[in-house]
Amino acid sequence: MTKSRKLTTLPTEFLEAVPVMDVLHQHGYEAYFVGGSVRDILLGKKIHDVDIATSAYPEEVKQLFHRTVDVGIEHGTVLVLLNQGEYEVTTFRTESTYQDFRRPDQVTFVRSLKEDLKRRDFTMNALAMDTTGNIVDLFEGMKDLDNRCIKAVGNPSERFHEDALRMMRGLRFASQLDFEIEPATYEAICEHHSLLDKISVERIQVEFEKLLMGGNRKKGLDPLISSGCYKYCPELADKKENLIHLANLSNQPFESVELAWLVTLAALDIQPAQVKAFLRQWKCSNELARLMTQSVKALQQRLLTGWRLDLLYQSGEKVITLVETACPYFGQPSQLSESLLSYQQLPIHSMKDLAVTGQDLLGHVKQPPGKWLGDMLNYFEEEVLFGRIENDQEKLLQAADLYQKGDN
Ligand SMILES: Nc1ccn([C@@H]2O[C@H](COP(=O)(O)OP(=O)(O)OP(=O)(O)O)[C@@H](O)[C@H]2O)c(=O)n1
């Protein structure tokens, strides 16, 4: 497929954007599809959004369309609203000086497609496609796609000095696309990994998660470790051995980001009490941190001794499902349906399921509300869960009398 220099049929995502490009053409400007969508369509993958690059300057783009939004005008990007769609149109540009290794210090708008493609990270990302499906391939991107190879455009050191994140992007593409990193590009990553020091955690996190979620994770993790890039990922600098362990687990793709983090945290031997601090360094959400704290704890126990009743109860279906799905990565078969059944068969699933409420107890015991009430409910919760008292109102009220007498 990638041998062809022309796509015979354009998918809808591209066709819908053609009217935008037609307007640009009618006014004498060039316009092409560029970036990830061109790469992905040539690989037969699903397209997210299409990016359009043009020789028109941002102000010129804005004059041609009734409805536009300045989404990143300093970098040349204007959002064009046409018919029912929204299209990012970016002026051809060069990015000359990158003093902070992050963002181009100086964007220069140019009229030449070649100049624009030449500043892009990898040859497979430096392809352009016109509205008829013709591929413009100035840097042998098609050959590299065919060879399943990630190769920097031009001099890799220059590309990584321009934006150090590109090294992490290269590793994540290796995992996502199941591609090899070309030797000179890999060597430059080894040489320049410390430039990642300047990159924000948020951007590294995005690439790391994509790497974990890729179809061939090992292909991204191995060079992440061997190149030294891992040292610039939060909290991983002294985790080389654990990362190797992670890379050598089953390479079965993760079906969710939560599962990816759970297996990663367990392989890295992060203890439940450390999970929150660890994920905070990664700028992950508090919600994920809470879920992972519970899940790491439950996974440890599941792998060691199997589920305990109280842990099933505290975990709930979401954590049980995650943990069971993680088990095969650590050499234990998943017992998802059995564990969910055990959970469903618990006598209660929360305190709300108790056959008595706080109000019932207040009415029965005839004591002003106080700490005793919470203690009693906690006691009943445990007794009912472990089957020592039946979840029946009458039985619980009798038990309340005994409890009051200190007879529990
Ligand atoms: N650090 C970067 C980021 C992006 N690009 C260029 O900008 C395009 C669009 O970038 P982006 O949307 O971030 O990534 P994609 O390559 O489209 O991949 P994906 O959508 O899978 O993240 C890339 O293809 C590449 O040509 C680049 O050269 N250097």
Side-chain angles (χ1 to χ4, degrees), residues 34-40 48-49 51 88 93 95 98 102-103 116-117 119-122 124-127 153 159 162-167 169 172-173 176-177 203 206-207 210:
V34 288
S37 61
V38 177
R39 174 198 71 224
D40 288 343
H48 313 286
D49 13 65
D51 290 318
E88 279 200 1
R93 63 188 198 202
E95 297 163 9
Y98 292 67
R102 258 182 271 183
R103 295 268 176 217
D116 181 88
L117 296 180
R119 57 94 190 166
R120 292 177 182 265
D121 52 3
F122 302 111
M124 63 183 183
N125 291 340
L127 294 162
V153 175
R159 295 292 83 75
E162 286 164 359
D163 182 355
L165 188 76
R166 287 171 168 170
M167 295 184 277
R169 279 171 58 86
R172 129 342 223 188
F173 282 124
Q176 269 186 332
L177 304 177
R203 296 181 81 208
V206 169
E207 299 304 326
K210 286 184 178 176

